[in-house]
Amino acid sequence: HCIDGDSVENVYIFAGLHNFTSAVLDRRNGLPVRQIFKHESYDARSLNNDVAVLRLRDPVNVDNEKIGMICLA
């Protein structure tokens, strides 16, 4: 639901953050998104299947104790 109706030009990732403020969430500090993959059965009314995968425009440096990888298999 967080990306419902948004285009990739309006979605940014802030990797490693857990304490959000408006100053931190300036898009100049964010990582731009290249592509959004919403679940094919997403239902905006019930929020069933409310999940999406975001492909970033550029690689993320994961050599940081606050950023890790997950398995999508």
Side-chain angles (χ1 to χ4, degrees):
H1 67 273
C2 293
I3 59 163
D4 206 17
D6 278 325
S7 65
V8 291
E9 294 84 19
N10 297 323
V11 179
Y12 289 80
I13 300 302
F14 297 88
L17 293 181
H18 67 276
N19 185 10
F20 303 108
T21 67
S22 59
V24 171
L25 294 180
D26 184 316
R27 70 175 50 183
R28 290 174 293 181
N29 299 322
L31 303 167
V33 171
R34 175 187 296 174
Q35 198 168 6
I36 299 171
F37 300 93
K38 289 184 190 178
H39 192 286
E40 61 186 24
S41 298
Y42 169 62
D43 184 331
R45 285 182 152 167
S46 67
L47 297 182
N48 287 339
N49 303 304
D50 184 17
V51 63
V53 174
L54 306 177
R55 177 178 287 162
L56 301 181
R57 189 181 72 193
D58 302 310
V60 175
N61 181 0
V62 293
D63 293 335
N64 181 319
E65 64 186 40
K66 294 182 180 181
I67 300 172
M69 295 191 297
I70 62 169
C71 179
L72 296 178

